[in-house]
């Protein structure tokens, strides 16, 4: 996929979906940080948490075999409004939603102002299609049990297979 242009119901605003490139890697920490769920009444974790394992596992060495992602850009913005990617892990360097080395784990992240507009669904559908094309049998993820994203994933047929308090580990089999 080279470039696709998506039209969304945001007053006719054009949004472009494209493959995540090496020059986008500098955005990965920020967009991963946007995924962190902060329960009501608590403070956001310090930015420095992004420099610790297993957070680094989602970011370091981007572009290795099995890495795939997409970027959403709105016309008029000079930076991404959303990113989504999947990576394969092994048991020694496992992400939070690790199930096994043959099932990539996904991350979907949008700037807060762009949530609830259908962008997450579009990114998820593209990741699913790509994972199927690459011959994977499913995707996994982790989500905080109180995060509204839990319901988003359930609506998209992900099933909760176990809990690592306070995270649900979910998967979608193809």
């Amino acid at each position: 996929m080279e470039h696709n242009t998506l039209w969304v119901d945001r007053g006719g605003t054009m949004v472009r979906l494209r493959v995540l490139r090496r020059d986008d890697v500098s955005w990965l920490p920020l967009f991963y940080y946007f995924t962190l769920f902060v329960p009501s009444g608590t403070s956001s974790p310090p930015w420095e948490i992004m420099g610790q394992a297993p957070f680094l596992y989602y970011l370091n060495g981007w572009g290795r075999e099995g890495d795939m992602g997409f970027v959403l850009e709105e016309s008029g913005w000079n930076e991404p409004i959303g990113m989504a990617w999947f990576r394969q892990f092994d048991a020694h360097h496992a992400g939070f939603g690790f199930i096994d080395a043959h099932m990539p784990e996904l991350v979907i992240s949008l700037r807060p102002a762009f949530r609830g507009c259908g962008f997450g669904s579009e990114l998820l559908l593209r990741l699913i299609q790509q994972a199927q094309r690459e011959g994977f049998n499913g995707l996994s993820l982790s989500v905080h049990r109180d995060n509204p994203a839990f319901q988003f994933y359930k609506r998209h047929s992900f099933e909760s297979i176990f809990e690592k308090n306070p995270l649900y580990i979910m998967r979608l089999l193809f």
Side-chain angles (χ1 to χ4, degrees):
M1 178 176 113
E2 180 68 327
H3 291 263
N4 283 337
T5 301
L6 306 173
W7 290 94
V8 296
D9 187 18
R10 284 183 50 86
T13 302
M14 187 187 312
V15 176
R16 183 172 72 162
L17 175 82
R18 63 172 176 78
V19 171
L20 194 152
R21 303 180 302 239
R22 285 202 182 270
D23 60 333
D24 297 313
V25 170
S26 64
W27 291 103
L28 290 176
L30 176 65
F31 278 88
Y32 192 82
Y33 189 80
F34 286 151
T35 70
L36 302 180
F37 177 68
V38 181
S40 179
T42 63
S43 300
S44 296
W47 175 256
E48 291 75 26
I49 197 169
M50 300 312 293
Q52 300 172 10
F55 297 100
L56 285 175
Y57 300 152
Y58 294 91
L59 311 170
N60 282 352
W62 177 263
R64 67 184 190 206
E65 187 174 337
D67 288 349
M68 180 61 206
F70 297 98
V71 175
L72 272 179
E73 299 171 323
E74 184 179 36
S75 61
W77 277 65
N78 294 324
E79 27 188 74
I81 62 168
M83 297 179 87
W85 64 94
F86 63 71
R87 290 197 106 165
Q88 287 181 271
F89 295 104
D90 62 42
H92 301 292
H93 299 94
F96 294 108
F98 178 77
I99 293 176
D100 66 50
H102 304 290
M103 185 175 294
E105 187 177 344
L106 69 87
V107 175
I108 298 176
S109 179
L110 293 163
R111 291 181 183 273
F114 294 92
R115 294 177 184 162
C117 302
F119 296 126
S121 294
E122 184 63 37
L123 286 167
L124 177 59
L125 292 173
R126 296 299 176 126
L127 284 178
I128 290 168
Q129 292 168 353
Q130 187 64 35
Q132 290 173 323
R133 276 194 292 275
E134 292 186 22
F136 294 112
N137 66 350
L139 290 168
S140 70
L141 61 91
S142 65
V143 62
H144 192 284
R145 68 174 166 237
D146 298 329
N147 189 332
F150 176 67
Q151 294 303 320
F152 167 82
Y153 291 116
K154 283 179 63 173
R155 282 193 310 275
H156 287 87
S157 301
F158 279 77
E159 63 177 335
S160 179
I161 57 170
F162 60 91
E163 186 175 355
K164 284 200 248 180
N165 200 17
L167 300 176
Y168 284 118
I169 310 309
M170 303 181 81
R171 72 175 176 199
L172 175 67
L173 297 176
F174 312 138

